[in-house]
């Protein structure tokens, strides 16, 4: 008897997407929301109507989705057809930009290249990842995020990939530091966020140190979080085993979408300053 694929909702960066790609014979990509901090996702949406400088339509959609706080809405829409959630935290690493009126945008290489965030420089300074203010915002966002997962029956089926930054590749060569921090410093910076996730009861999956290795031939290039293939397949096998222990595929049932991020929707155009 042929096993049906598990429907996966991916949240985060290329780490979760690469895992699903390598395990596509068992994991079907139901939805994928990238480049969106949970701070942005769980605070009011902001509609930006100006120009951007991105050539990639996909990158533009992700930046616009971030400003629109689209993640929780997508969850409400796709929950009934989702068997598990895979969440990685790599896209949290650059912090968030205040947009005004309680709105935030995720700082990513894409959002910086787009030029969109430049319009909000006068609203407030960026909130850096690891700063006390960022951790406080993130802790509040996590409560809202987990509350939604509970309501949708997905809390026990959400698997977080522990951020473990590689310092070397599979040949033992040192990798270039990123963002002015060593691999050890990045792992340390993520520690309080991981502690909050564990305290919230979400399973956090770790790699053995022997697999925390960069991949020189990775399709997206060399980076401390572009791992060797065995790292992804190790995570995938553990996730599949845990889901099977929970009963495998979930029964399909309708879940009506509901508003999930309160507050007024901000609006900004090129010829108007943000509030």
């Amino acid at each position: 008897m042929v096993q049906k694929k598990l429907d996966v909702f991916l949240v985060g960066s290329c780490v979760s997407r690469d895992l699903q790609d390598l395990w596509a014979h068992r994991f079907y990509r139901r939805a994928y929301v990238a480049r969106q901090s949970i701070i942005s996702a769980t605070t009011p949406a902001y509609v930006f109507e100006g120009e951007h400088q991105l050539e990639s339509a996909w990158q533009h959609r992700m930046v616009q989705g971030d400003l629109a706080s689209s993640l929780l809405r997508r969850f409400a829409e796709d929950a009934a057809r989702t068997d598990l959630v895979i969440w990685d935290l790599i896209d949290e690493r650059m912090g968030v930009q205040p947009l005004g009126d309680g709105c935030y945008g995720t700082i990513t290489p894409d959002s910086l290249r787009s030029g969109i965030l430049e319009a909000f420089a006068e609203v407030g300074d960026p909130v850096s990842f690891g700063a006390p203010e960022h951790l406080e915002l993130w802790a509040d966002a996590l409560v809202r995020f987990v509350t939604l997962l509970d309501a949708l029956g997905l809390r026990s089926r959400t698997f977080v990939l522990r951020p473990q930054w590689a310092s070397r590749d599979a040949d033992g060569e040192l990798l270039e530091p990123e963002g002015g921090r060593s691999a050890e410093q990045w792992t340390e910076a993520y520690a309080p966020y991981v502690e909050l996730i564990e305290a919230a009861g979400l399973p956090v999956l770790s790699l053995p140190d022997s697999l925390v290795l960069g991949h020189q031939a990775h399709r997206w290039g060399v980076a401390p979080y572009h791992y060797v293939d065995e790292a992804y397949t190790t995570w995938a096998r553990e996730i599949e085993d845990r889901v099977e222990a929970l009963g495998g595929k979930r029964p399909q049932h309708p879940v009506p979408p509901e508003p999930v991020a309160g507050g007024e929707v901000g609006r900004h155009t090129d010829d108007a300053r943000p509030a």
Side-chain angles (χ1 to χ4, degrees):
M1 178 173 149
V2 178
Q3 284 184 300
K4 291 185 177 180
K5 291 186 179 183
L6 296 167
D7 289 86
V8 183
F9 195 119
L10 303 175
V11 181
S13 71
C14 55
V15 177
S16 53
R17 180 178 61 184
D18 288 345
L19 187 161
Q20 183 272 327
D21 282 345
L22 282 170
W23 216 244
H25 62 290
R26 288 293 294 128
F27 291 167
Y28 172 74
R29 189 186 305 167
R30 169 59 57 189
Y32 177 35
V33 176
R35 317 289 201 266
Q36 193 166 151
S37 169
I38 60 169
I39 295 174
S40 168
T42 64
T43 50
Y46 203 106
V47 178
F48 184 88
E49 297 179 339
E51 297 296 321
H52 67 89
Q53 301 168 21
L54 293 170
E55 295 181 2
S56 165
W58 183 84
Q59 292 174 356
H60 176 58
R61 288 197 303 273
M62 292 303 104
V63 172
Q64 291 284 26
D66 174 57
L67 296 177
S69 304
S70 66
L71 175 60
L72 302 194
R73 174 181 55 78
R74 288 296 307 277
F75 261 119
E77 293 171 352
D78 289 296
R81 296 165 295 178
T82 295
D83 296 312
L84 67 132
V85 179
I86 300 176
W87 178 24
D88 77 82
L89 308 180
I90 296 301
D91 284 340
E92 299 281 356
R93 71 189 184 279
M94 297 178 73
V96 293
Q97 170 65 47
L99 308 179
D101 298 327
C103 308
Y104 291 87
T106 307
I107 302 173
T108 66
D110 294 342
S111 64
L112 290 175
R113 281 195 302 271
S114 74
I116 289 175
L117 295 186
E118 295 175 6
F120 302 98
E122 295 183 14
V123 174
D125 294 331
V127 184
S128 300
F129 178 80
E133 181 184 358
H134 188 276
L135 188 59
E136 182 178 352
L137 287 169
W138 204 87
D140 291 341
L142 181 64
V143 171
R144 295 189 290 270
F145 185 39
V146 172
T147 297
L148 180 72
L149 293 174
D150 268 333
L152 299 176
L154 289 170
R155 182 172 183 161
S156 65
R157 289 171 174 261
T158 296
F159 302 96
V160 183
L161 308 180
R162 183 184 295 274
Q164 295 167 265
W165 288 54
S167 59
R168 296 179 181 271
D169 66 17
D171 296 324
E173 296 294 324
L174 287 171
L175 299 180
E176 288 289 330
E178 182 173 307
R181 293 176 177 174
S182 67
E184 293 76 15
Q185 288 170 330
W186 275 114
T187 299
E188 182 179 347
Y190 271 103
Y193 298 85
V194 173
E195 289 174 5
L196 289 170
I197 291 171
E198 291 175 328
L202 298 181
V204 179
L205 310 185
S206 302
L207 291 171
D209 290 342
S210 60
L211 293 181
V212 184
L213 299 169
H215 189 351
Q216 286 289 353
H218 195 282
R219 60 176 173 167
W220 309 121
V222 181
Y225 40 82
H226 291 167
Y227 305 111
V228 294
D229 287 356
E230 191 178 350
Y232 303 107
T233 57
T234 296
W235 265 328
R237 290 190 182 98
E238 181 175 359
I239 291 170
E240 187 172 2
D241 288 345
R242 285 176 176 248
V243 173
E244 291 304 319
L246 292 170
K249 289 189 70 65
R250 298 171 72 216
Q252 304 284 301
H253 59 279
V255 178
E258 297 179 358
V260 289
E264 295 297 322
V265 175
R267 182 173 298 273
H268 173 67
T269 60
D270 279 349
D271 55 0
R273 290 183 180 274

